[in-house]
């Protein structure tokens, strides 16, 4: 059984920063691409950023220059450093990962989400 657990969400003022973490645990052989998604009330879930096992990154235009995705492969953990936060960044942030549970089987997993609220 594999679990993804996010942490680090909360309430922050506009212009502030937060750092989200996503820890993968359980029966893991290796982890391919990991990513952060978010869903605001009344909106569809959208991709925020992704990072490959080799460290290549991509970002949504709305967060480029403000957010930084990273990962520690030894700890099976991914991070999202969010700076210069705006009210429109308010959403539930979800962790996603493609995980090889054994050498022949790869599955996609989601975390339970962590709330980020940007408000004065």
């Amino acid at each position: 059984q594999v679990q993804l657990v996010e942490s680090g969400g909360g309430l922050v003022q506009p212009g502030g920063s937060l750092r989200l973490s996503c820890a993968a645990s359980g029966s893991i052989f290796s982890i391919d691409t990991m990513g952060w998604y978010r869903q605001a009330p009344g909106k569809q879930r959208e991709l925020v950023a992704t990072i490959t096992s080799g460290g290549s990154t991509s970002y949504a235009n709305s967060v480029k220059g403000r957010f930084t995705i990273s990962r520690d492969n030894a700890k099976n953990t991914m991070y999202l450093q969010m700076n210069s936060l705006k009210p429109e960044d308010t959403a539930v942030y979800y962790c996603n990962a493609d995980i090889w549970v054994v050498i022949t089987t790869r599955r996609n997993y989601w975390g339970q989400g962590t709330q980020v609220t940007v408000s004065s």
Side-chain angles (χ1 to χ4, degrees), residues 28-80:
I28 297 171
F29 179 75
S30 68
I31 303 177
D32 278 353
T33 299
M34 303 182 79
W36 289 99
Y37 291 72
R38 67 186 181 186
Q39 187 167 19
K43 294 188 176 181
Q44 288 188 331
R45 190 172 297 189
E46 64 175 359
L47 177 65
V48 175
T50 62
I51 184 167
T52 67
S53 57
S56 295
T57 60
S58 65
Y59 297 91
N61 287 336
S62 59
V63 307
K64 278 182 182 177
R66 300 188 297 121
F67 291 10
T68 301
I69 190 171
S70 61
R71 62 191 283 176
D72 184 332
N73 290 331
K75 296 181 179 179
N76 288 337
T77 300
M78 174 179 63
Y79 307 96
L80 186 68

Side-chain angles (χ1 to χ4, degrees), residues 12 14 20 37 54-55 64 66 72 76 85 94-95 98 102 112:
V12 64
L20 304 183
Y37 291 72
K64 278 182 182 177
R66 300 188 297 121
D72 184 332
N76 288 337
L85 282 161
Y94 296 91
C95 168
D98 287 325
V102 292
Q112 82 287 351

